[in-house]
Amino acid sequence: MSAVFDSLSRFYASSIGKKILVAVTGAALVVFVLGHMIGNLLIFAGPEAINEYGHMLQTSLHGAGVWIARLGLLAAVGIHVIATIHLTKQNRAARKDAYAKHKAQVSSKASHTMIWSGLTILAFVVYHLLHFTARVGNEYNSAAYKIDLHGESVHNIYKMVIDGFSWAPASIFYIIAMGLLYSHLSHGVSSLFQTLGLTTHRNAPVFKFLGHAYATLILLGNCSIPVAIWIFGYGR
């Protein structure tokens, strides 16, 4: 056991180890964000579609699946943020000559922004889980949020989302968080290819475009929900 722990410690202590952790957790989060958005957009397909989707998540692996996903999400975000912070510090300490210091000034601004946007997104994920998952400080666990679905009483996800985003502070915080997520993803997705050693001088603009395109897709898709509900009164 100690040998495994020592190996993991040496792996994490190296810049390559941290880069791999940042890349792997980043890739996992990129996939999760897209899947989560697609699931959330079922709100526009009507109550039955999103309630069936929510019930499927709640009952997968006898109810354990959704908690495995939630804990995995928190772990991935936490590891991603911590490894990024440590990697940034390690890179700064390694730069000594004048040319490297100049590059550090440019890269550290992006890294600094990424760190703070990442921490804010982590705070948002915790809030989002408390608001819609643990349902703290609201009545989303009450009988008013139960509905019959194919003869079975299930949680009314549709009503919860409509009521949740009808509250201005929740919608505003969500939209702000999505703006930060856009900034994080647009830089992070293109950096992911660089971390994996796939970026060259020729294809760098392509990866940069892909980062902005993916981030824009996520921003528009996610923000369409609170905007439709809070501003245009969808579902009310």
Side-chain angles (χ1 to χ4, degrees), residues 108-121:
S108 64
K109 288 180 180 178
S111 300
H112 189 72
T113 303
M114 289 286 285
I115 289 169
W116 284 108
S117 63
L119 288 171
T120 305
I121 292 166

Side-chain angles (χ1 to χ4, degrees), residues 42-219:
L42 288 174
I43 190 77
F44 296 120
E48 185 171 330
I50 195 166
N51 285 335
E52 284 184 343
Y53 170 70
H55 184 59
M56 180 271 293
L57 293 179
Q58 291 290 336
T59 55
S60 63
L61 297 178
H62 302 288
V66 69
W67 280 106
I68 293 172
R70 289 164 182 164
L71 293 174
L73 170 64
L74 285 174
V77 174
I79 292 170
H80 189 74
V81 171
I82 292 170
T84 300
I85 292 173
H86 288 171
L87 183 61
T88 301
K89 290 181 177 179
Q90 192 173 35
N91 288 342
R92 286 176 181 172
R95 296 183 177 103
K96 294 180 180 179
D97 59 69
Y99 174 72
K101 285 181 180 178
H102 174 71
K103 284 187 68 178
Q105 289 176 353
V106 176
S107 63
S108 64
K109 288 180 180 178
S111 300
H112 189 72
T113 303
M114 289 286 285
I115 289 169
W116 284 108
S117 63
L119 288 171
T120 305
I121 292 166
L122 176 59
F124 167 75
V125 168
V126 173
Y127 165 78
H128 198 57
L129 288 174
L130 288 173
H131 187 202
F132 283 130
T133 303
R135 299 156 197 165
V136 174
N138 52 55
E139 298 179 352
Y140 297 157
N141 279 323
S142 67
Y145 290 90
K146 293 293 182 181
I147 192 171
D148 182 77
L149 182 68
H150 307 310
E152 185 178 359
S153 179
V154 302
H155 190 71
N156 194 339
I157 303 293
Y158 182 85
K159 176 176 171 58
M160 182 181 71
V161 173
I162 297 297
D163 289 353
F165 285 126
S166 296
W167 186 49
S171 286
I172 292 169
F173 184 31
Y174 188 90
I175 292 170
I176 291 172
M178 290 307 104
L180 290 170
L181 183 61
Y182 168 85
S183 174
H184 199 85
L185 285 174
S186 61
H187 177 74
V189 170
S190 58
S191 296
L192 176 63
F193 295 102
Q194 184 177 1
T195 302
L196 294 174
L198 302 176
T199 303
T200 65
H201 179 72
R202 180 173 295 182
N203 64 24
V206 176
F207 291 144
K208 186 175 182 180
F209 170 78
L210 288 175
H212 283 288
Y214 177 80
T216 300
L217 173 68
I218 298 300
L219 176 68

Side-chain angles (χ1 to χ4, degrees), residues 22-35 72-78 80-81 184-185 214:
V22 170
V24 170
T25 54
L29 291 172
V30 164
V31 173
F32 171 82
V33 166
L34 179 61
L73 170 64
L74 285 174
V77 174
H80 189 74
V81 171
H184 199 85
L185 285 174
Y214 177 80

